[in-house]
Amino acid sequence: MSEPCRVTTTIDLDADGKQFGALSVPYSSNESAWGAVRIPIVVIKGGAGPTLLCTGGNHGDEYEGPIALGKLARSLEAADIAGRLILLPALNLPAVLAGTRVSPLDQINLNRTFPGRWDGTVTEMIADYVTRRILPLCGAVVDLHSGGKTLHFLPFCGMHVLDDAKQMARSRDAMLAFGAPFSVIIDEFDRLGMLDTAVEQLGKVFLFTELGGGGTATATTIAIAERGVRNLLHHFGMIEGAPEPAATRLMHSPDPSYFVVSEDRGIFEIMVDPGAEVSAGQPIARIHDVESPARTPATYRAERSGLLIGRRWPGPTRPGDCLAVIATEREPR
Ligand code: CA
């Protein structure tokens, strides 16, 4: 951990008060020989208390985070906060400006490149700075996602299955406090390179959201993001008052059998919409060969009974694409 950091910041992460600034990531291009990418950062620090990091725009085609965290940054003052709130509303700014999942500068998915590289590309340097300079300051992190252009979810706040029971209990309490309509515990297929993993390995609370998707944000999903982050600030005792009461259903998707994955190429048909209860063996999706209408489409069945919480969004589909996600009720404990 003794490598230099090539990213610099225009603010003092430890200073009291409210600061709007930027992480400056060196990037020499045809447009700017001695240039840099400037990732917006806001730090609001009041009296003694915990540090919460909220990130948006980890993927550039998901907008609840950038919008809700910008609103929060403008509305909260240091006098309102006990502790320190660090906001990175557009963590992968080049991707957010392009409206793409991965960065247009290096084609890297930020959320698959943690812990990053100090001597890497722009996206790798962002991950390195967050890993080495910001995460050590934080007690908890919430990363605001939605489904982007290729997925669509019922609005949920999520966490992962963790080995440490105490860390898992603290995370679950925070997830329920966020108060999204659904709270989902997921066992991710492949956690390598995720911000999630970088935070969880430090023993800290990590939450993510999947608030909608399809490449846009709605008034409803933006409101869920805003209310959820404020509820977390209440939960951690960082702002006055109690969380706004919100009904949430605790669910889980504990293994890969809850994810329906394509084995075909063609046009995707969802047969039940998110929010529907499905039973094991029920046909839930088809993939059509639209060039051969006489051919029977491939049918995909739910392997598990439960609630359809997510679906693929665009029509054109290839083998390996995630078509649907199912979750079942989990006992609150
Ligand atoms: Ca995402």
Side-chain angles (χ1 to χ4, degrees):
M1 288 276 178
S2 58
E3 291 91 355
C5 229
R6 287 154 71 210
V7 176
T8 56
T9 178
T10 58
I11 59 168
D12 178 355
L13 286 159
D14 296 318
D16 284 330
K18 173 155 130 178
Q19 304 170 79
F20 285 89
L23 310 180
S24 187
V25 187
Y27 180 59
S28 178
S29 68
N30 288 334
E31 289 73 36
S32 186
W34 292 8
V37 174
R38 292 172 80 91
I39 310 288
I41 183 169
V42 187
V43 177
I44 310 174
K45 187 165 182 279
T51 294
L52 174 67
L53 169 65
C54 304
T55 51
N58 183 334
H59 291 135
D61 56 351
E62 304 171 6
Y63 304 106
E64 286 84 356
I67 293 167
L69 295 180
K71 289 167 87 169
L72 202 66
R74 293 186 296 276
S75 67
L76 282 174
E77 298 302 332
D80 303 327
I81 299 272
R84 174 171 47 186
L85 178 62
I86 304 176
L87 304 172
L88 287 161
L91 187 55
N92 197 349
L93 181 72
V96 174
L97 295 178
T100 53
R101 180 172 178 83
V102 308
S103 174
L105 304 184
D106 51 24
Q107 304 306 316
I108 288 179
N109 178 346
L110 175 59
N111 213 29
R112 296 294 183 274
T113 199
F114 279 85
R117 292 176 64 104
W118 73 274
D119 59 351
T121 65
V122 167
T123 308
E124 290 169 326
M125 283 189 278
I126 295 169
D128 174 64
Y129 187 87
V130 170
T131 301
R132 290 196 294 141
R133 295 288 191 266
I134 297 185
L135 295 189
L137 307 174
C138 302
V141 178
V142 58
D143 190 23
L144 299 173
H145 286 253
S146 66
K149 286 176 177 165
T150 68
L151 290 167
H152 193 274
F153 291 100
L154 294 181
F156 74 85
C157 182
M159 58 173 281
H160 297 118
V161 175
L162 303 170
D163 294 334
D164 182 331
K166 283 185 181 159
Q167 184 185 5
M168 195 153 168
R170 280 188 287 129
S171 305
R172 191 194 52 223
D173 290 348
M175 174 178 71
L176 295 174
F178 187 97
F182 298 89
S183 300
V184 183
I185 302 174
I186 282 190
D187 201 359
E188 199 92 31
F189 293 146
D190 180 8
R191 295 190 201 172
L192 191 70
M194 298 175 80
L195 171 60
D196 319 36
T197 308
V199 178
E200 287 161 359
Q201 282 174 345
L202 296 171
K204 299 172 189 235
V205 167
F206 180 84
L207 303 177
F208 64 94
T209 63
E210 298 292 355
L211 295 174
T216 192
T218 68
T220 301
T221 58
I222 293 165
I224 293 167
E226 284 186 72
R227 188 188 62 189
V229 173
R230 282 186 180 272
N231 282 348
L232 278 183
L233 291 168
H234 288 299
H235 175 72
F236 291 120
M238 296 172 68
I239 56 175
E240 287 284 324
E244 202 179 305
T248 187
R249 261 175 86 180
L250 182 60
M251 317 285 293
H252 66 160
S253 301
D255 66 59
S257 67
Y258 288 80
F259 297 78
V260 180
V261 177
S262 172
E263 292 169 12
D264 297 276
R265 189 175 294 269
I267 297 300
F268 170 60
E269 173 195 2
I270 192 79
M271 296 167 69
V272 285
D273 288 327
E277 298 283 350
V278 300
S279 32
Q282 180 183 335
I284 59 168
R286 295 191 189 102
I287 294 183
H288 298 262
D289 179 350
V290 291
E291 290 171 301
S292 305
R295 184 173 293 169
T296 303
T299 299
Y300 290 79
R301 295 171 188 276
E303 212 176 310
R304 300 287 184 170
S305 297
L307 183 75
L308 192 77
I309 59 160
R311 58 157 289 187
R312 179 172 171 79
W313 193 249
T317 296
R318 296 174 300 184
D321 290 338
C322 179
L323 300 179
V325 183
I326 294 164
T328 58
E329 217 81 33
R330 184 175 165 117
E331 287 302 310
R333 190 194 55 78

